[in-house]
Amino acid sequence: MRLFHPHAEPPSPGGSLVAGRLAILDGLRGYFLVFMFLNHLTFTGGYLLVLLNHAELAFVEGAQGFVFLSGLLAGLVHGRRMARHGLGTATVAIWNRAAEIYAYALGCVLIILVLQTLLPGSWVYWHHWLGDLHFGRGRHVAASALLLYQPDYLDVLPQYVVYLLATPPLIWLCLQGRWAWVAGGSIVLWLAVQLGAHLALADAVARLLPLRAYFNAFAWQLVFVAGLVLGTAMIQDRIDWSRLFRADRPQLALVAAMTVLFFAIWRVWSNHFAMPEAVEARLRALANRGEFGPVYLLNFVALAYLVTWVVRLGPATASIPLRWLAYLLDRLFKLSFLRLLGRHSLQVYAWHVIAVYLLKAVDENWGPFGEIGKTAIAVAGIMLLAVPAWMLERTKAVPRAGKLQPAFASRPIDPRP
């Protein structure tokens, strides 16, 4: 796929999407999962390992990349399915996936609520994450089942359910050449949130059932739909990547680099130094993470373009630092561990939420820990993220004929977030 590698051709509409050609996408999803775990992990007094994070230098975090890649793969895989087998077949597959994600989200909530009844004091140290959600509050449990009252760190999964329910008609429109309507509608919806058009709806819902959600799905859909439109265009071979990414014309990459550097300065300033009150207020208004404000949008677009340019064209440039950076990024995103996580991202994400809640209980009951202890726990947690992925790989390693296959054999990629 030429978007991510300088020598590979984009998949033709009749070609097969195999893990070897899209391995870097699995690796990217695994990379984002690791850093979401580190960002969500909490210790008394904080911990230093979390500072080794691209989010410290940009208004871009794992969640944005994760949502974008899910949309991209939905367009690539389900778009191909729809083109071959029709709208009905693709819709059944997509909505079955939405039902599976809903089941995982609901299962995680139930597990956490059961743990809440078993662990003494958990109501106190989980209250900030759960709000008023517990078995004694039926309205809150019902609202959670309806995806309206969302515990912290589980609020990404309800987004996917909503997005996948809307995915079939969006892909169909893109396949019919009406991608501009899809992109334009997505942009208008994002702009409506930025201007507060959703507030009346939120107030109306809150009068009926408790409402708690950090991510605004009407705003974050822009990231998912952008990936979906791009993925659908790729299977139709409608994008000339050689015009967007050219080593002999690096002007766009230079603009992206300057934008990334600009936002890095503001990120470091806001994280580690005092800002004038008026400046801080303006930044808060434009960098609303829950509503994917303009600062997050611009920084994400610039960084995504720059990283893609470096990985795709860096090896062909005369710059030794760029060649090394491209090599390191390519090797990083193709690590077998990250690809393993990415192939089973739903199960890994659900497992990481339970792990974060349990480790919070460990810190509250047996902490505080020293910096070495915190680092050891964090690293062990990263390694344990692979447990559900490894179990699924071992299960799938036994084919129908009963002959064992390697646990990490290449397999067709799917659009699972």
Side-chain angles (χ1 to χ4, degrees), residues 9-10 14 43 59 68 88 121 144 187 234 239 241 255 284 321 344 351 359 380 414:
E9 293 298 322
F43 291 107
F59 292 91
F68 175 79
S144 183
I187 292 171
M234 288 169 64
I239 302 176
W241 298 113
V255 171
R284 281 200 306 269
H344 306 284
W351 166 239
L359 289 173
D414 61 39

Side-chain angles (χ1 to χ4, degrees), residues 149-269:
Y149 200 89
Q150 301 169 10
D152 283 10
Y153 310 138
L154 271 170
D155 35 15
V156 167
L157 297 183
Q159 282 192 87
Y160 286 133
V161 175
V162 174
Y163 299 158
L164 288 177
L165 290 177
T167 288
L170 297 181
I171 290 180
W172 184 84
L173 286 170
C174 290
L175 291 176
Q176 300 303 311
R178 299 172 183 170
W179 63 268
W181 287 94
V182 176
S186 177
I187 292 171
V188 167
L189 192 55
W190 176 81
L191 286 171
V193 172
Q194 306 309 308
L195 296 175
H198 64 292
L199 297 177
L201 176 62
D203 290 341
V205 172
R207 282 196 284 271
L208 299 175
L209 283 172
L211 183 63
R212 185 179 193 268
Y214 177 74
F215 293 109
N216 188 310
F218 295 122
W220 277 69
Q221 55 75 30
L222 182 67
V223 190
F224 183 88
V225 173
L228 182 147
V229 170
L230 182 61
T232 309
M234 288 169 64
I235 66 168
Q236 296 179 297
D237 201 20
R238 290 187 173 184
I239 302 176
D240 184 359
W241 298 113
S242 62
R243 297 184 63 183
L244 287 175
F245 300 94
R246 295 183 57 170
D248 60 333
R249 293 186 180 178
Q251 289 86 350
L252 280 178
L254 179 60
V255 171
M258 293 172 64
T259 304
V260 169
L261 177 60
F262 173 80
F263 282 120
I265 294 171
W266 282 81
R267 188 59 157 177
V268 172
W269 186 11

Side-chain angles (χ1 to χ4, degrees), residues 265-286:
I265 294 171
W266 282 81
R267 188 59 157 177
V268 172
W269 186 11
S270 62
N271 281 350
H272 303 289
F273 302 96
M275 303 181 75
E277 184 177 345
V279 176
E280 185 177 4
R282 184 68 62 88
L283 181 62
R284 281 200 306 269
L286 295 174

Side-chain angles (χ1 to χ4, degrees), residues 87-109:
L87 176 62
T89 299
T91 298
V92 170
I94 295 168
W95 285 0
N96 282 342
R97 182 58 177 170
E100 182 183 14
I101 294 174
Y102 173 78
Y104 270 90
L106 193 60
C108 286
V109 171

